[in-house]
Amino acid sequence: MSFSFLRTRMRASFGFLALALGILLCPVAALAELAADPIVVNVDQAKLVKLPGRISTLVVGNPLIADVTLQNGGIVVVTGKGYGATNFIAMDRAGEILMDRIIQVEGPTDQVVTIYRGVERESYSCMPICQRRVTLGDGENYFKAAIDQAGALSSQAASSAAAAGKSAN
């Protein structure tokens, strides 16, 4: 075997190895890009995200962590529902994946005071006066009492608005 034949064979082997390595690392590069720009939203808050206009379907990995709603013009409303991370996939009418993004839901940013009574937890929003705040992880009795009060208030407001609408007609 001649020296030039060996050199050509080594170059071919190196080229093949580089191609194989590139194919293997391509998904890793895509995942790195995906992880590089997560959508960060706080629990109980919403964020608007502009996506390509041809999206027709959204799939959410874990709807207990985040909710994603498509609006006109490619605007997506991302609402944090629970702590943690999930993803959403945006597809066009043909089923082509246009985007796969991570959603990171974090804790509240307002001034929250947490009180522990044994193992039971209560949360208060202190802006500027401390008042009950329903937060994931609060004790069951505290959580239920606050939700029941909020529900009763909402029902009363809806009843008043309906009564005001009837009297105006």
Side-chain angles (χ1 to χ4, degrees), residues 94-123:
E96 180 184 341
I97 296 174
L98 302 174
M99 184 174 292
D100 186 346
R101 300 266 310 261
I102 297 290
I103 302 170
Q104 179 67 42
V105 179
E106 299 178 346
T109 57
D110 57 343
Q111 295 180 2
V112 176
V113 172
T114 305
I115 297 174
Y116 290 91
R117 299 179 194 277
V119 295
E120 295 292 309
R121 186 181 92 180
E122 299 175 3
S123 300

PDB file of all heavy atoms in Angstrom, residues 94-123:
ATOM      1  N   ALA A  94     -50.855  21.321   8.990  1.00  0.00           N
ATOM      2  CA  ALA A  94     -50.344  20.071   8.422  1.00  0.00           C
ATOM      3  C   ALA A  94     -49.710  19.178   9.485  1.00  0.00           C
ATOM      4  O   ALA A  94     -49.275  18.069   9.187  1.00  0.00           O
ATOM      5  CB  ALA A  94     -49.328  20.382   7.325  1.00  0.00           C
ATOM      6  N   GLY A  95     -49.632  19.645  10.722  1.00  0.00           N
ATOM      7  CA  GLY A  95     -49.033  18.860  11.796  1.00  0.00           C
ATOM      8  C   GLY A  95     -47.541  19.053  11.937  1.00  0.00           C
ATOM      9  O   GLY A  95     -46.890  18.382  12.733  1.00  0.00           O
ATOM     10  N   GLU A  96     -46.976  20.014  11.189  1.00  0.00           N
ATOM     11  CA  GLU A  96     -45.545  20.292  11.293  1.00  0.00           C
ATOM     12  C   GLU A  96     -45.268  21.052  12.586  1.00  0.00           C
ATOM     13  O   GLU A  96     -45.972  22.007  12.921  1.00  0.00           O
ATOM     14  CB  GLU A  96     -45.087  21.133  10.100  1.00  0.00           C
ATOM     15  CG  GLU A  96     -43.612  21.470  10.143  1.00  0.00           C
ATOM     16  CD  GLU A  96     -43.192  22.385   8.997  1.00  0.00           C
ATOM     17  OE1 GLU A  96     -43.911  22.475   8.000  1.00  0.00           O
ATOM     18  OE2 GLU A  96     -42.135  23.012   9.140  1.00  0.00           O
ATOM     19  N   ILE A  97     -44.260  20.607  13.306  1.00  0.00           N
ATOM     20  CA  ILE A  97     -43.897  21.264  14.561  1.00  0.00           C
ATOM     21  C   ILE A  97     -43.145  22.545  14.236  1.00  0.00           C
ATOM     22  O   ILE A  97     -42.088  22.533  13.599  1.00  0.00           O
ATOM     23  CB  ILE A  97     -43.045  20.336  15.443  1.00  0.00           C
ATOM     24  CG1 ILE A  97     -43.869  19.121  15.849  1.00  0.00           C
ATOM     25  CG2 ILE A  97     -42.538  21.085  16.677  1.00  0.00           C
ATOM     26  CD1 ILE A  97     -43.095  18.068  16.597  1.00  0.00           C
ATOM     27  N   LEU A  98     -43.710  23.665  14.677  1.00  0.00           N
ATOM     28  CA  LEU A  98     -43.092  24.967  14.446  1.00  0.00           C
ATOM     29  C   LEU A  98     -42.227  25.396  15.624  1.00  0.00           C
ATOM     30  O   LEU A  98     -41.260  26.124  15.450  1.00  0.00           O
ATOM     31  CB  LEU A  98     -44.175  26.028  14.197  1.00  0.00           C
ATOM     32  CG  LEU A  98     -45.118  25.753  13.031  1.00  0.00           C
ATOM     33  CD1 LEU A  98     -46.215  26.802  12.991  1.00  0.00           C
ATOM     34  CD2 LEU A  98     -44.349  25.714  11.726  1.00  0.00           C
ATOM     35  N   MET A  99     -42.591  24.924  16.824  1.00  0.00           N
ATOM     36  CA  MET A  99     -41.872  25.355  18.009  1.00  0.00           C
ATOM     37  C   MET A  99     -42.108  24.376  19.143  1.00  0.00           C
ATOM     38  O   MET A  99     -43.188  23.812  19.268  1.00  0.00           O
ATOM     39  CB  MET A  99     -42.357  26.751  18.408  1.00  0.00           C
ATOM     40  CG  MET A  99     -41.633  27.359  19.572  1.00  0.00           C
ATOM     41  SD  MET A  99     -42.168  29.055  19.837  1.00  0.00           S
ATOM     42  CE  MET A  99     -41.518  29.832  18.376  1.00  0.00           C
ATOM     43  N   ASP A 100     -41.093  24.177  19.958  1.00  0.00           N
ATOM     44  CA  ASP A 100     -41.180  23.381  21.175  1.00  0.00           C
ATOM     45  C   ASP A 100     -40.427  24.167  22.235  1.00  0.00           C
ATOM     46  O   ASP A 100     -39.204  24.266  22.175  1.00  0.00           O
ATOM     47  CB  ASP A 100     -40.577  21.996  20.966  1.00  0.00           C
ATOM     48  CG  ASP A 100     -40.780  21.066  22.156  1.00  0.00           C
ATOM     49  OD1 ASP A 100     -41.140  21.553  23.248  1.00  0.00           O
ATOM     50  OD2 ASP A 100     -40.567  19.862  21.992  1.00  0.00           O
ATOM     51  N   ARG A 101     -41.153  24.767  23.178  1.00  0.00           N
ATOM     52  CA  ARG A 101     -40.521  25.637  24.170  1.00  0.00           C
ATOM     53  C   ARG A 101     -40.792  25.141  25.579  1.00  0.00           C
ATOM     54  O   ARG A 101     -41.841  24.580  25.870  1.00  0.00           O
ATOM     55  CB  ARG A 101     -41.080  27.069  24.070  1.00  0.00           C
ATOM     56  CG  ARG A 101     -40.887  27.774  22.764  1.00  0.00           C
ATOM     57  CD  ARG A 101     -39.659  28.645  22.671  1.00  0.00           C
ATOM     58  NE  ARG A 101     -39.423  29.585  23.708  1.00  0.00           N
ATOM     59  CZ  ARG A 101     -39.722  30.893  23.653  1.00  0.00           C
ATOM     60  NH1 ARG A 101     -40.326  31.394  22.611  1.00  0.00           N
ATOM     61  NH2 ARG A 101     -39.400  31.683  24.643  1.00  0.00           N
ATOM     62  N   ILE A 102     -39.846  25.394  26.450  1.00  0.00           N
ATOM     63  CA  ILE A 102     -39.973  25.091  27.876  1.00  0.00           C
ATOM     64  C   ILE A 102     -40.679  26.263  28.558  1.00  0.00           C
ATOM     65  O   ILE A 102     -40.403  27.419  28.265  1.00  0.00           O
ATOM     66  CB  ILE A 102     -38.582  24.883  28.515  1.00  0.00           C
ATOM     67  CG1 ILE A 102     -37.873  23.691  27.893  1.00  0.00           C
ATOM     68  CG2 ILE A 102     -38.674  24.741  30.027  1.00  0.00           C
ATOM     69  CD1 ILE A 102     -38.468  22.359  28.228  1.00  0.00           C
ATOM     70  N   ILE A 103     -41.578  25.935  29.479  1.00  0.00           N
ATOM     71  CA  ILE A 103     -42.227  26.944  30.320  1.00  0.00           C
ATOM     72  C   ILE A 103     -41.779  26.677  31.748  1.00  0.00           C
ATOM     73  O   ILE A 103     -41.949  25.578  32.267  1.00  0.00           O
ATOM     74  CB  ILE A 103     -43.762  26.857  30.240  1.00  0.00           C
ATOM     75  CG1 ILE A 103     -44.236  27.026  28.809  1.00  0.00           C
ATOM     76  CG2 ILE A 103     -44.396  27.892  31.175  1.00  0.00           C
ATOM     77  CD1 ILE A 103     -45.709  26.719  28.626  1.00  0.00           C
ATOM     78  N   GLN A 104     -41.209  27.681  32.380  1.00  0.00           N
ATOM     79  CA  GLN A 104     -40.768  27.575  33.769  1.00  0.00           C
ATOM     80  C   GLN A 104     -41.702  28.435  34.623  1.00  0.00           C
ATOM     81  O   GLN A 104     -41.777  29.645  34.420  1.00  0.00           O
ATOM     82  CB  GLN A 104     -39.322  28.068  33.919  1.00  0.00           C
ATOM     83  CG  GLN A 104     -38.790  28.029  35.334  1.00  0.00           C
ATOM     84  CD  GLN A 104     -38.638  26.622  35.867  1.00  0.00           C
ATOM     85  OE1 GLN A 104     -38.183  25.742  35.154  1.00  0.00           O
ATOM     86  NE2 GLN A 104     -39.018  26.405  37.107  1.00  0.00           N
ATOM     87  N   VAL A 105     -42.419  27.805  35.552  1.00  0.00           N
ATOM     88  CA  VAL A 105     -43.330  28.531  36.429  1.00  0.00           C
ATOM     89  C   VAL A 105     -42.676  28.657  37.796  1.00  0.00           C
ATOM     90  O   VAL A 105     -42.295  27.665  38.408  1.00  0.00           O
ATOM     91  CB  VAL A 105     -44.701  27.822  36.530  1.00  0.00           C
ATOM     92  CG1 VAL A 105     -45.630  28.590  37.461  1.00  0.00           C
ATOM     93  CG2 VAL A 105     -45.322  27.668  35.149  1.00  0.00           C
ATOM     94  N   GLU A 106     -42.561  29.899  38.229  1.00  0.00           N
ATOM     95  CA  GLU A 106     -41.882  30.203  39.494  1.00  0.00           C
ATOM     96  C   GLU A 106     -42.870  30.766  40.505  1.00  0.00           C
ATOM     97  O   GLU A 106     -44.015  31.050  40.171  1.00  0.00           O
ATOM     98  CB  GLU A 106     -40.752  31.196  39.228  1.00  0.00           C
ATOM     99  CG  GLU A 106     -39.706  30.627  38.277  1.00  0.00           C
ATOM    100  CD  GLU A 106     -38.594  31.605  37.960  1.00  0.00           C
ATOM    101  OE1 GLU A 106     -38.727  32.811  38.249  1.00  0.00           O
ATOM    102  OE2 GLU A 106     -37.577  31.144  37.409  1.00  0.00           O
ATOM    103  N   GLY A 107     -42.395  30.957  41.725  1.00  0.00           N
ATOM    104  CA  GLY A 107     -43.231  31.455  42.815  1.00  0.00           C
ATOM    105  C   GLY A 107     -43.601  32.909  42.647  1.00  0.00           C
ATOM    106  O   GLY A 107     -43.130  33.598  41.747  1.00  0.00           O
ATOM    107  N   PRO A 108     -44.474  33.396  43.520  1.00  0.00           N
ATOM    108  CA  PRO A 108     -44.936  34.783  43.427  1.00  0.00           C
ATOM    109  C   PRO A 108     -43.799  35.775  43.675  1.00  0.00           C
ATOM    110  O   PRO A 108     -42.853  35.480  44.400  1.00  0.00           O
ATOM    111  CB  PRO A 108     -45.997  34.884  44.522  1.00  0.00           C
ATOM    112  CG  PRO A 108     -45.718  33.748  45.440  1.00  0.00           C
ATOM    113  CD  PRO A 108     -45.043  32.691  44.646  1.00  0.00           C
ATOM    114  N   THR A 109     -43.932  36.945  43.040  1.00  0.00           N
ATOM    115  CA  THR A 109     -42.897  37.974  43.206  1.00  0.00           C
ATOM    116  C   THR A 109     -43.332  39.074  44.159  1.00  0.00           C
ATOM    117  O   THR A 109     -42.515  39.902  44.538  1.00  0.00           O
ATOM    118  CB  THR A 109     -42.549  38.613  41.851  1.00  0.00           C
ATOM    119  OG1 THR A 109     -43.732  39.161  41.271  1.00  0.00           O
ATOM    120  CG2 THR A 109     -41.914  37.612  40.923  1.00  0.00           C
ATOM    121  N   ASP A 110     -44.623  39.085  44.527  1.00  0.00           N
ATOM    122  CA  ASP A 110     -45.048  40.114  45.471  1.00  0.00           C
ATOM    123  C   ASP A 110     -44.520  39.764  46.859  1.00  0.00           C
ATOM    124  O   ASP A 110     -43.932  38.711  47.065  1.00  0.00           O
ATOM    125  CB  ASP A 110     -46.568  40.275  45.459  1.00  0.00           C
ATOM    126  CG  ASP A 110     -47.321  38.985  45.777  1.00  0.00           C
ATOM    127  OD1 ASP A 110     -46.712  37.911  45.701  1.00  0.00           O
ATOM    128  OD2 ASP A 110     -48.514  39.076  46.087  1.00  0.00           O
ATOM    129  N   GLN A 111     -44.733  40.663  47.788  1.00  0.00           N
ATOM    130  CA  GLN A 111     -44.196  40.451  49.141  1.00  0.00           C
ATOM    131  C   GLN A 111     -45.121  39.514  49.902  1.00  0.00           C
ATOM    132  O   GLN A 111     -46.150  39.925  50.424  1.00  0.00           O
ATOM    133  CB  GLN A 111     -44.034  41.784  49.844  1.00  0.00           C
ATOM    134  CG  GLN A 111     -43.002  42.660  49.171  1.00  0.00           C
ATOM    135  CD  GLN A 111     -42.836  43.995  49.868  1.00  0.00           C
ATOM    136  OE1 GLN A 111     -43.471  44.268  50.877  1.00  0.00           O
ATOM    137  NE2 GLN A 111     -41.973  44.816  49.321  1.00  0.00           N
ATOM    138  N   VAL A 112     -44.741  38.244  49.941  1.00  0.00           N
ATOM    139  CA  VAL A 112     -45.546  37.214  50.589  1.00  0.00           C
ATOM    140  C   VAL A 112     -44.934  36.882  51.946  1.00  0.00           C
ATOM    141  O   VAL A 112     -43.723  36.684  52.063  1.00  0.00           O
ATOM    142  CB  VAL A 112     -45.607  35.936  49.715  1.00  0.00           C
ATOM    143  CG1 VAL A 112     -46.366  34.830  50.429  1.00  0.00           C
ATOM    144  CG2 VAL A 112     -46.257  36.242  48.385  1.00  0.00           C
ATOM    145  N   VAL A 113     -45.794  36.834  52.945  1.00  0.00           N
ATOM    146  CA  VAL A 113     -45.389  36.401  54.277  1.00  0.00           C
ATOM    147  C   VAL A 113     -45.993  35.019  54.485  1.00  0.00           C
ATOM    148  O   VAL A 113     -47.197  34.826  54.263  1.00  0.00           O
ATOM    149  CB  VAL A 113     -45.868  37.380  55.364  1.00  0.00           C
ATOM    150  CG1 VAL A 113     -45.605  36.819  56.758  1.00  0.00           C
ATOM    151  CG2 VAL A 113     -45.192  38.729  55.198  1.00  0.00           C
ATOM    152  N   THR A 114     -45.181  34.075  54.889  1.00  0.00           N
ATOM    153  CA  THR A 114     -45.635  32.707  55.107  1.00  0.00           C
ATOM    154  C   THR A 114     -45.593  32.405  56.596  1.00  0.00           C
ATOM    155  O   THR A 114     -44.577  32.630  57.251  1.00  0.00           O
ATOM    156  CB  THR A 114     -44.742  31.717  54.345  1.00  0.00           C
ATOM    157  OG1 THR A 114     -44.715  32.095  52.969  1.00  0.00           O
ATOM    158  CG2 THR A 114     -45.257  30.302  54.460  1.00  0.00           C
ATOM    159  N   ILE A 115     -46.715  31.915  57.111  1.00  0.00           N
ATOM    160  CA  ILE A 115     -46.818  31.576  58.529  1.00  0.00           C
ATOM    161  C   ILE A 115     -47.042  30.076  58.635  1.00  0.00           C
ATOM    162  O   ILE A 115     -47.906  29.524  57.957  1.00  0.00           O
ATOM    163  CB  ILE A 115     -47.977  32.338  59.205  1.00  0.00           C
ATOM    164  CG1 ILE A 115     -47.705  33.841  59.142  1.00  0.00           C
ATOM    165  CG2 ILE A 115     -48.180  31.859  60.636  1.00  0.00           C
ATOM    166  CD1 ILE A 115     -48.845  34.689  59.642  1.00  0.00           C
ATOM    167  N   TYR A 116     -46.253  29.432  59.478  1.00  0.00           N
ATOM    168  CA  TYR A 116     -46.404  27.996  59.721  1.00  0.00           C
ATOM    169  C   TYR A 116     -46.998  27.794  61.105  1.00  0.00           C
ATOM    170  O   TYR A 116     -46.494  28.313  62.093  1.00  0.00           O
ATOM    171  CB  TYR A 116     -45.051  27.285  59.625  1.00  0.00           C
ATOM    172  CG  TYR A 116     -44.514  27.238  58.217  1.00  0.00           C
ATOM    173  CD1 TYR A 116     -43.683  28.232  57.730  1.00  0.00           C
ATOM    174  CD2 TYR A 116     -44.876  26.198  57.363  1.00  0.00           C
ATOM    175  CE1 TYR A 116     -43.214  28.199  56.435  1.00  0.00           C
ATOM    176  CE2 TYR A 116     -44.407  26.151  56.060  1.00  0.00           C
ATOM    177  CZ  TYR A 116     -43.576  27.155  55.603  1.00  0.00           C
ATOM    178  OH  TYR A 116     -43.113  27.113  54.308  1.00  0.00           O
ATOM    179  N   ARG A 117     -48.066  27.024  61.163  1.00  0.00           N
ATOM    180  CA  ARG A 117     -48.697  26.625  62.425  1.00  0.00           C
ATOM    181  C   ARG A 117     -48.560  25.106  62.480  1.00  0.00           C
ATOM    182  O   ARG A 117     -49.413  24.389  61.961  1.00  0.00           O
ATOM    183  CB  ARG A 117     -50.154  27.056  62.462  1.00  0.00           C
ATOM    184  CG  ARG A 117     -50.338  28.560  62.352  1.00  0.00           C
ATOM    185  CD  ARG A 117     -51.825  28.911  62.371  1.00  0.00           C
ATOM    186  NE  ARG A 117     -52.073  30.263  61.941  1.00  0.00           N
ATOM    187  CZ  ARG A 117     -51.980  31.344  62.712  1.00  0.00           C
ATOM    188  NH1 ARG A 117     -51.629  31.225  63.974  1.00  0.00           N
ATOM    189  NH2 ARG A 117     -52.239  32.540  62.228  1.00  0.00           N
ATOM    190  N   GLY A 118     -47.451  24.657  63.021  1.00  0.00           N
ATOM    191  CA  GLY A 118     -47.107  23.238  62.956  1.00  0.00           C
ATOM    192  C   GLY A 118     -46.737  22.912  61.520  1.00  0.00           C
ATOM    193  O   GLY A 118     -45.837  23.522  60.964  1.00  0.00           O
ATOM    194  N   VAL A 119     -47.463  21.993  60.910  1.00  0.00           N
ATOM    195  CA  VAL A 119     -47.195  21.652  59.513  1.00  0.00           C
ATOM    196  C   VAL A 119     -48.114  22.409  58.559  1.00  0.00           C
ATOM    197  O   VAL A 119     -47.937  22.342  57.344  1.00  0.00           O
ATOM    198  CB  VAL A 119     -47.326  20.125  59.257  1.00  0.00           C
ATOM    199  CG1 VAL A 119     -46.271  19.361  60.029  1.00  0.00           C
ATOM    200  CG2 VAL A 119     -48.714  19.627  59.592  1.00  0.00           C
ATOM    201  N   GLU A 120     -49.103  23.114  59.099  1.00  0.00           N
ATOM    202  CA  GLU A 120     -50.034  23.878  58.266  1.00  0.00           C
ATOM    203  C   GLU A 120     -49.413  25.226  57.891  1.00  0.00           C
ATOM    204  O   GLU A 120     -48.833  25.906  58.727  1.00  0.00           O
ATOM    205  CB  GLU A 120     -51.356  24.116  59.005  1.00  0.00           C
ATOM    206  CG  GLU A 120     -52.132  22.851  59.281  1.00  0.00           C
ATOM    207  CD  GLU A 120     -52.664  22.217  58.007  1.00  0.00           C
ATOM    208  OE1 GLU A 120     -53.307  22.917  57.213  1.00  0.00           O
ATOM    209  OE2 GLU A 120     -52.437  21.012  57.820  1.00  0.00           O
ATOM    210  N   ARG A 121     -49.558  25.587  56.639  1.00  0.00           N
ATOM    211  CA  ARG A 121     -48.973  26.826  56.124  1.00  0.00           C
ATOM    212  C   ARG A 121     -50.081  27.787  55.700  1.00  0.00           C
ATOM    213  O   ARG A 121     -51.083  27.384  55.137  1.00  0.00           O
ATOM    214  CB  ARG A 121     -48.082  26.511  54.930  1.00  0.00           C
ATOM    215  CG  ARG A 121     -47.313  27.697  54.418  1.00  0.00           C
ATOM    216  CD  ARG A 121     -46.482  27.334  53.232  1.00  0.00           C
ATOM    217  NE  ARG A 121     -47.278  27.598  52.028  1.00  0.00           N
ATOM    218  CZ  ARG A 121     -46.852  27.382  50.795  1.00  0.00           C
ATOM    219  NH1 ARG A 121     -45.675  26.865  50.589  1.00  0.00           N
ATOM    220  NH2 ARG A 121     -47.609  27.663  49.776  1.00  0.00           N
ATOM    221  N   GLU A 122     -49.862  29.085  55.963  1.00  0.00           N
ATOM    222  CA  GLU A 122     -50.750  30.154  55.514  1.00  0.00           C
ATOM    223  C   GLU A 122     -49.906  31.205  54.810  1.00  0.00           C
ATOM    224  O   GLU A 122     -48.807  31.517  55.251  1.00  0.00           O
ATOM    225  CB  GLU A 122     -51.486  30.795  56.699  1.00  0.00           C
ATOM    226  CG  GLU A 122     -52.361  29.843  57.480  1.00  0.00           C
ATOM    227  CD  GLU A 122     -52.976  30.477  58.703  1.00  0.00           C
ATOM    228  OE1 GLU A 122     -52.779  31.696  58.945  1.00  0.00           O
ATOM    229  OE2 GLU A 122     -53.671  29.757  59.444  1.00  0.00           O
ATOM    230  N   SER A 123     -50.450  31.769  53.739  1.00  0.00           N
ATOM    231  CA  SER A 123     -49.723  32.798  52.993  1.00  0.00           C
ATOM    232  C   SER A 123     -50.509  34.096  53.010  1.00  0.00           C
ATOM    233  O   SER A 123     -51.740  34.096  52.895  1.00  0.00           O
ATOM    234  CB  SER A 123     -49.510  32.359  51.541  1.00  0.00           C
ATOM    235  OG  SER A 123     -48.763  31.173  51.483  1.00  0.00           O
TER     236      SER A 123
END
